[in-house]
């Protein structure tokens, strides 16, 4: 039986943005750090493949939803409530769904991210 070995082509630097939570008037709000102020322990490398954007008009606003797939080495601190910033541009993406721990072996993670841009 062969084990899964992902192809991590041209890995790029990525920054993990772990939220802290603030409760105000009974509402819990996630606060994300600025990618420029994150410690080096949050830097990791992975493949980042985009498949173009999806154009939509939502409530009269033209939006482009950019999605990408990331494959990287397993890190237990990458969770669905985190965000990912590209290391070279600081463009921020949110994680969609729960990151997949491939074969439950704690070797590789695969997940989808989304960036939403819009103009009025």
């Amino acid at each position: 039986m062969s084990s899964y070995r992902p192809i991590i082509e041209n890995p790029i630097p990525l920054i993990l943005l772990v939220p802290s939570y603030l409760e105000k008037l009974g509402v819990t709000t996630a606060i994300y750090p600025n990618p420029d102020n994150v410690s080096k322990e949050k830097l990791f490398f992975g493949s980042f493949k985009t498949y173009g954007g999806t154009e939509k008009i939502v409530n009269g606003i033209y939006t482009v939803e950019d999605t990408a797939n990331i494959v990287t080495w397993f890190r237990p601190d990458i969770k669905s409530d985190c965000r990912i910033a590209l290391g070279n541009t600081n463009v921020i993406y949110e994680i969609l769904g729960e990151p997949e721990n491939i074969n439950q072996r704690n070797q590789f993670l695969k997940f989808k991210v989304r960036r939403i841009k819009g103009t009025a």
Side-chain angles (χ1 to χ4, degrees):
M1 179 165 107
S2 65
S3 62
Y4 175 79
R5 297 294 276 174
I7 299 171
I8 302 178
E9 298 173 346
N10 302 320
I12 64 167
L14 302 166
I15 303 166
L16 179 63
L17 304 175
V18 179
S20 58
Y21 292 95
L22 175 68
E23 186 170 335
K24 193 174 194 179
L25 300 173
V27 177
T28 304
T29 304
I31 299 172
Y32 294 90
N34 184 325
D36 294 327
N37 301 332
V38 175
S39 66
K40 297 222 183 264
E41 293 87 37
K42 299 300 180 188
L43 178 69
F44 67 100
F45 289 82
S47 68
F48 184 86
K49 294 185 180 183
T50 61
Y51 297 99
T54 302
E55 299 175 0
K56 298 179 181 180
I57 295 180
V58 179
N59 296 330
I61 298 175
Y62 173 77
T63 62
V64 176
E65 182 180 84
D66 289 334
T67 58
N69 288 325
I70 295 177
V71 178
T72 187
W73 294 98
F74 179 80
R75 286 183 59 139
D77 55 348
I78 298 177
K79 300 186 183 221
S80 61
D81 63 343
C82 296
R83 290 185 178 168
I84 305 295
L86 300 182
N88 55 354
T89 61
N90 285 349
V91 173
I92 298 174
Y93 289 79
E94 63 182 344
I95 296 176
L96 297 174
E98 192 67 33
E100 180 182 358
N101 180 359
I102 305 292
N103 293 333
Q104 299 299 309
R105 300 181 103 191
N106 295 348
Q107 286 184 312
F108 306 105
L109 275 180
K110 183 177 182 179
F111 54 97
K112 192 169 194 171
V113 294
R114 169 179 64 187
R115 174 182 179 213
I116 300 193
K117 317 181 262 195
T119 59

